[in-house]
Structure formats: C-alpha cells, structure tokens
C-alpha cells in the first residue's frame, strides 16, 4: 500500500549542538571495518552516446538533442571499486546494506564524512547488527577514473553495482578473514542523490537484485531548470584543484562553498563545522554523470519494499524556480503531498510491497544535519518492520 509519512524532529534539532572539532581531528572508519578493492567487470548498453568534445561550455547545446535519441552507447571494461566493509553480527550478519553515495561525495558520506559519528549511517547500521558495504562509484574517490564522458555515467555504475550484488550473493566478494566466502542472503540497497538514481536504474533493470530499497535525497525527476546553472556556473574542472591534478577535464568540482551549502543544507539545521569539512573534502562529478541524470527516473517492476527519505528543504529537488533565483529567495519548502515531486516517486514503484516517504526537517544532504541519527532510526525501524 502506498502512503506518505512525514515527521518533524524539532526537539532533536533544538537540542543538537554544533560540532566544532578541527578537520585534522576527523575520525577514522569504525573499528572492525576494512577497506577493500573490488575488481568489477561490467558492460552497459544504456549509456548516453555523448560526444567526446563535451565540455561545461557546450553542455546543454550538445546534450539536449542527444536525449531524444535511442540510448545505445556501449560502455564496458574492468575497473577497481574502492569499498569499505563493516561486518554484521547476530541474525543480521548475512544481511548486507550496499551504500551508494551522491555527486561530489565518496563513500565517506555514509560515515558522516569521518567527522561526527552522530552523522554516520554506517555506525548506526552497525549498532543494529547489519553488515555494510560502502563503495566509491567508478570515477569517484579511490575507485578507477576512466573516461568521464563515455564511461562514468549512471547506467554503467548501475551495472557495476549489479555485479557487486552477484558477488555478495555468491560469496565471492574479496572480504578479509574471517569473512572470506560469506554469502549474503539479503541485500538492502541505499542510495543518496545520484546514488539513488543509480539504485533506481538498477531496480528497473534487475528488479530481483535488492530485497529492500532506500532512496535518500531523491524525487521523481531531476528539475531541468537546475541542470544548466549547476554544470555551467557552479562546477569547475577538478584538475584546477591540487588534490585532483592530472584528472581529465571532464571531471568537475564545486568552486564555491556558498553554492554547495545552499544546495545541500537547510539554514539552522546543521553544524557549520560539518559544512566546512564537506567543502574542504568535496569530491568530483563527471560530465557523464551530469548528462545521464537527465535521462530521468525509470518505472520498475520491483516488488520489494521502498522508502524515500528526502529533506523537506531539499534545494535541488524542491526549488521551483531557476536555481539562481531560488538562492536569492532562500531555501524552498517541498510539496509534501502525495502529488509533490517527492511523493510521485511512488509511480516508479507500482508493485512495491510497501512504499513510504519521509521528510526530515533538513536539506538535501540530511545525513549531515543535526537530526541525522533520529532519521537513521526511522529508516532502520522501517527495515525491521519489513523483516530485515
């Protein structure tokens, strides 16, 4: 049954204190977790046939006509995927959460950017006994960085996640002892933002891969009035940053902290120290990712339970105006009805065994807001109610 559930964690927000530790004091991954490298061979016939001369300057001119064409470009290859594995315990030891980060992030997102444990989804999941596998999508973080236009697109990333799920169910993930050979009989997919688009793509093509799905920072489609400004004005070639020296010019990064903060945070709901760390450690977005997100979301035959968790002040999905105008007017308030842009995501999952939407009192990256742990609890209580 489809219905919308909303909540407002005002008490926790008022009680949340700013976390002001310096960047150099960021926490390491939780004890017992291990960084691993997964060699993934995948092929996608659904990538957009983008021109190799795509740039930020000609992005809309070249991309818009392409979107009316059949998506028949083939991308294939074997690339390394950097991941962090945290084992589960008890009855949930063989239930694996695969966590897929959004644009301009890495797997560190699911650890609260290694800054504040209260913002770590992984720490919460571990406390509930779940095993987790956080990955750097190809082209991001410590994973391989192939061609950012023809290879690093969302459909290809979905194919890679599919192969990782095949490994997880078959006991062939390169896990350290004593977990080598572990066969996971339940798979939970959780995505954020672009990671949620990847998850939706995977659910459409491989509807039996995941037993449960959480889509965070997500809505039914990516607002077209946002795309041009985002790519052409708010992103710069990443190689201009010494951290990414030598990168292909098709890899981009945010060039202004105020823009990032407006897009990802809701005023008064977050620690400025967290936002500062976020910008200082920001990752990249490829031109291929930016173009392929405009494919739109896909209706699925997926039958598992689905929860969408999108902040009620999500400036990416809930801005109804050109983003340059919206930033002057201030953070938007989402339409939280079933007919709003977030609620309509239910139309992509008409066969889901359960579908819920939750609106935390936060912005797009609600995991990094002061009430994150409360929202983590909502998500995991729901998973338990679904038998996970």
């Amino acid at each position: 049954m489809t219905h919308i559930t909303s909540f407002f964690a005002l008490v926790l927000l008022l009680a949340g204190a700013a976390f002001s530790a310096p960047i150099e004091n960021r926490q390491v991954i939780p004890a017992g977790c291990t960084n691993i490298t997964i060699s993934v061979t995948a092929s996608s016939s659904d990538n957009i046939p983008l021109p190799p001369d795509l740039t930020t300057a000609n992005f809309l001119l070249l991309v818009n006509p392409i979107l009316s064409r059949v998506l028949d470009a083939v991308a294939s290859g074997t690339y390394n995927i950097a991941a962090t594995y945290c084992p589960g315990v008890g009855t949930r030891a063989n239930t694996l959460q695969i966590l897929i980060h959004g644009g301009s992030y890495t797997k560190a997102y699911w650890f609260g950017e290694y800054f504040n444990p209260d913002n770590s989804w992984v720490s919460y999941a571990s406390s509930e006994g779940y095993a987790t596998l956080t990955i750097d999508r190809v082209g991001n973080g410590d994973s391989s960085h192939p061609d950012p236009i023809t290879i690093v697109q969302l459909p290809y990333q979905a194919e890679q996640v599919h192969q990782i799920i095949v490994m997880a169910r078959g006991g062939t993930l390169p896990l350290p002892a004593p977990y080598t050979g572990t066969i996971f009989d339940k798979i939970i997919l959780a995505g954020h933002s672009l990671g949620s688009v990847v998850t939706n793509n995977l659910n459409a093509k491989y509807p039996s891969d995941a037993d449960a799905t959480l889509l965070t920072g997500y809505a039914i489609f990516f607002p077209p009035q946002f795309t041009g400004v985002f790519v052409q004005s708010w992103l710069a070639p990443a190689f201009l940053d010494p951290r990414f020296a030598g990168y292909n010019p098709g890899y981009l990064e945010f060039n202004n902290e105020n823009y990032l903060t407006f897009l990802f945070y809701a005023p008064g709901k977050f620690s400025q120290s967290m936002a500062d760390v976020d910008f200082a450690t920001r990752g990249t977005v490829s031109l291929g990712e930016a173009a392929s997100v405009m494919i739109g979301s896909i209706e699925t035959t997926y039958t598992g339970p689905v929860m969408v968790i999108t902040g009620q002040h999500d400036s990416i999905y809930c801005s109804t105006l050109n983003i340059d105008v919206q930033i002057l007017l201030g953070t938007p308030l989402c339409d939280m009805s079933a007919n709003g842009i977030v609620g309509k995501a239910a139309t992509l999952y008409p066969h889901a065994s359960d579908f819920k939407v939750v609106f935390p009192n936060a912005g797009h990256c609600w995991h990094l807001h002061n009430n994150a742990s409360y929202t983590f609890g909502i998500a995991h209580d729901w998973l338990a109610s679904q038998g996970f």
Side-chain angles (χ1 to χ4, degrees), residues 19-82:
F19 191 87
S20 57
I23 293 175
E24 59 267 23
N25 287 346
R26 296 163 71 211
Q27 65 170 8
V28 297
I29 62 172
C33 300
T34 305
N35 289 328
I36 62 174
T37 299
I38 310 171
S39 179
V40 180
T41 300
S43 179
S44 170
S45 60
D46 297 325
N47 273 25
I48 300 175
L50 295 173
D53 59 341
L54 186 66
T55 67
T56 56
N58 63 16
F59 182 80
L60 290 182
L61 178 65
L62 293 178
V63 169
N64 282 345
I66 289 167
L67 292 182
S68 64
R69 294 165 51 181
V70 176
L71 306 181
D72 58 359
V74 176
S76 62
T78 300
Y79 300 105
N80 289 333
I81 298 299

Side-chain angles (χ1 to χ4, degrees), residues 77 123 137 150 156 234 287 311 324:
S123 294
R137 291 182 288 112
T150 61
Y156 184 72
W234 292 21
L287 278 169
D324 276 337

Side-chain angles (χ1 to χ4, degrees), residues 343-356:
K344 281 184 177 178
T347 63
L348 306 177
Y349 290 90
H351 307 289
S353 59
D354 187 61
F355 189 96
K356 286 183 173 63

Side-chain angles (χ1 to χ4, degrees), residues 71-152:
L71 306 181
D72 58 359
V74 176
S76 62
T78 300
Y79 300 105
N80 289 333
I81 298 299
T84 300
Y85 173 70
C86 301
V89 297
T91 59
R92 289 172 172 154
N94 296 97
T95 298
L96 181 66
Q97 295 187 13
I98 298 179
L99 308 175
I100 310 171
H101 65 84
S104 82
Y105 287 99
T106 68
K107 55 189 171 67
Y109 182 82
W110 298 97
F111 293 91
E113 293 296 305
Y114 306 130
F115 182 64
N116 187 346
D118 290 342
N119 296 102
S120 172
W121 176 293
V122 172
S123 294
Y124 196 102
S126 295
S127 73
E128 295 292 315
Y130 295 96
T132 60
L133 184 73
T134 55
I135 66 170
D136 285 341
R137 291 182 288 112
V138 70
N140 294 267
D142 293 324
S143 291
S144 297
H145 287 76
D147 189 286
I149 297 173
T150 61
I151 299 293
V152 185

Side-chain angles (χ1 to χ4, degrees), residues 3-10 13 215-220 269 307-314 317-318 332-346 355-364 366 371 374-375 378-379:
H3 62 282
I4 305 296
T5 303
S6 60
F7 70 90
F8 305 93
L10 295 177
L13 283 172
L215 304 170
T216 77
Y218 184 74
I220 190 170
K269 316 297 182 186
M307 173 175 274
V308 176
I309 311 176
T310 296
Q312 62 177 273
H313 302 290
D314 191 312
Y317 281 109
C318 299
L333 177 64
C334 292
D335 178 349
M336 292 182 282
S337 72
N339 292 320
I341 188 174
V342 179
K344 281 184 177 178
F355 189 96
K356 286 183 173 63
V357 177
V358 173
F359 290 99
N361 193 359
H364 182 67
W366 60 262
N371 63 342
Y374 181 78
T375 312
I378 293 291

Side-chain angles (χ1 to χ4, degrees), residues 98-106 109-110 135-138 140 153-155 157-158 161 189-203 213-219 222 285 289 292-293 297 317 349 364 367:
I98 298 179
L99 308 175
I100 310 171
H101 65 84
S104 82
Y105 287 99
T106 68
Y109 182 82
W110 298 97
I135 66 170
D136 285 341
R137 291 182 288 112
V138 70
N140 294 267
Q153 296 187 26
L154 305 186
Q157 292 171 346
V161 176
L189 275 183
H192 173 66
S193 194
L194 292 189
S196 289
V197 180
V198 170
T199 300
N200 172 247
N201 272 255
L202 184 142
N203 283 342
T213 296
L214 296 111
L215 304 170
T216 77
Y218 184 74
F222 198 74
V285 177
E289 290 169 328
S292 57
V293 76
S297 300
Y317 281 109
Y349 290 90
H364 182 67
H367 310 67

